[in-house]
Amino acid sequence: MGVSLEEMVAACRPYTRQGQLPGYIPALKQGDPSRLGACLLSCDGRLSQAGDWDVSFSIQSIVKPILLLQALLDNGVDTVRSHVGVEATGKPFDAINYTDQVLDSQHLNPMVNMGAIAVCSLIRGGSYQERFRRLLDLTRLLAGEESRIQVNEDVYRSEKANGSKNRALAYLLKTYGIIRDDVEDVLDCYFHACAISTDCGGLARIGCVLANQGRRPGSGEALVPPEYARFVNAILTTCGMYDGSGDFAVRVGVPAKSGVGGGIMAVAPGRMGIGIFSPALDPKGNSLAGTRLLELLSRELDLSIF
Ligand code: GLN
């Protein structure tokens, strides 16, 4: 790199002032908006990190690709595709598709809330606690370090107490028979999933498994089948940044997933996984300074897949 990672973080830190903390989950409103950190992990195991890379945050929507991986592992591609679609929505992450007369599962996208809530019901397990436990275990397996992946109970309780929009989405899914189980049980699994917490290192490690055809960086141990990693990367490319995915593809050009906790997990196929954290968001709910930093990194390291 001509410019160091530390210098790029410093160059992007002023942008943290242009974003907003999300107000609809009170626990996230208390974050420090000036934070910005990054961690890069190459497929052969080289690590670089800078800024606030070691601060823990809730991964929020970044759990959606992990939920999808768990659903694929439990059911295979055909069953998953019969329950949720893969077309980009071009709509905000919590949109209600009110122009449809009926809710068609092929109009659900697993990278936005309604589709992800539906995916929770595809995870195997006797109870929704067990399903969440299995998701947490998979997250820990992908990150490679159990201690790096925890559940932030404050964030979980805060969203559960204030999640009326997600409740509305889940009841619509129930009304149209897309989920059959108790709505509160499904939502409890979803809210717990969104409250999984890690640092930039955890996101870089998970992203690197996706970049490395489902194998652990460095050792090459197979963690998920390569075709599932490819499936997830494809959907991240078209929908990972919600209705900002097209702009992100032009500016950065790699599969990525953002969360309202300020994280972004980016996947540079065959090269590296990247974890970014900066909690002040742009109007679409993507980390504002984090996206700027990825843009610089992509240019500096020639990461775009296009
Ligand atoms: N927990 C958040 C929600 O459901 C996740 C959304 C996000 O990260 N964009 O609203």
Side-chain angles (χ1 to χ4, degrees):
M1 269 193 264
V3 188
S4 74
L5 187 56
E6 203 67 64
E7 285 166 333
M8 282 189 256
V9 168
C12 291
R13 207 178 282 277
Y15 291 104
T16 61
R17 289 197 285 272
Q18 293 179 13
Q20 297 284 331
L21 293 171
Y24 76 102
I25 302 176
L28 297 183
K29 192 83 193 145
Q30 290 151 21
D32 173 356
S34 70
R35 300 267 195 210
L36 176 62
C39 178
L40 278 55
L41 177 64
S42 68
C43 291
D44 56 6
R46 278 171 298 135
L47 191 74
S48 37
Q49 47 212 18
D52 300 309
W53 64 271
D54 56 349
V55 173
S56 177
F57 53 89
S58 58
I59 67 174
Q60 298 295 333
S61 279
I62 303 169
V63 79
K64 288 172 175 143
I66 309 170
L67 272 168
L68 179 58
L69 272 176
Q70 185 70 69
L72 287 166
L73 288 165
D74 286 353
N75 306 277
V77 170
D78 292 346
T79 302
V80 169
R81 287 207 60 170
S82 70
H83 283 83
V84 283
V86 293
E87 298 307 327
T89 68
K91 297 200 176 96
F93 64 81
D94 57 351
I96 294 176
N97 199 354
Y98 57 86
T99 53
D100 282 354
Q101 287 300 310
V102 293
L103 194 61
D104 177 343
S105 62
Q106 291 310 298
H107 294 171
L108 295 175
N109 183 300
M111 293 303 117
V112 296
N113 292 13
M114 208 171 192
I117 294 167
V119 169
C120 287
S121 72
L122 290 178
I123 296 177
R124 289 227 190 104
S127 65
Y128 273 85
Q129 281 96 321
E130 189 188 335
R131 293 176 201 226
F132 172 67
R133 195 74 224 173
R134 295 186 60 242
L135 176 76
L136 187 62
D137 287 347
L138 175 64
T139 311
R140 288 181 165 150
L141 177 78
L142 296 172
E145 284 174 43
E146 186 166 336
S147 61
R148 263 211 148 84
I149 305 287
Q150 302 296 333
V151 179
N152 185 323
E153 292 293 333
D154 284 347
V155 170
Y156 158 71
R157 276 193 295 269
S158 182
E159 185 166 17
K160 191 174 164 84
N162 292 279
S164 46
K165 184 80 179 275
N166 283 322
R167 262 186 196 93
L169 298 176
Y171 275 102
L172 271 177
L173 290 169
K174 175 93 174 180
T175 304
Y176 289 101
I178 292 168
I179 60 174
R180 293 175 193 281
D181 298 325
D182 181 80
V183 166
E184 281 303 326
D185 286 349
V186 181
L187 281 171
D188 197 67
C189 176
Y190 175 75
F191 292 141
H192 263 123
C194 292
I196 291 175
S197 296
T198 190
D199 58 10
C200 293
L203 290 189
R205 282 171 170 80
I206 299 167
C208 198
V209 174
L210 291 170
N212 201 28
Q213 299 183 356
R215 293 190 304 257
R216 194 181 296 295
S219 77
E221 178 196 356
L223 301 177
V224 291
E227 61 270 27
Y228 294 169
R230 202 177 312 124
F231 188 116
V232 170
N233 289 344
I235 200 161
L236 291 185
T237 308
T238 54
C239 331
M241 306 295 281
Y242 319 116
D243 47 341
S245 298
D247 178 61
F248 188 85
V250 170
R251 288 168 58 198
V252 185
V254 294
K257 186 75 206 80
S258 62
V260 290
I264 305 177
M265 177 183 75
V267 178
R271 296 193 54 191
M272 65 181 77
I274 304 173
I276 300 278
F277 171 57
S278 184
L281 308 178
D282 69 16
K284 297 192 166 168
N286 297 319
S287 171
L288 193 148
T291 304
R292 263 323 271 180
L293 180 55
L294 278 169
E295 197 176 355
L296 277 193
L297 272 168
S298 176
R299 211 178 304 149
E300 188 64 27
L301 301 173
D302 194 20
L303 294 179
S304 175
I305 62 171
F306 299 109

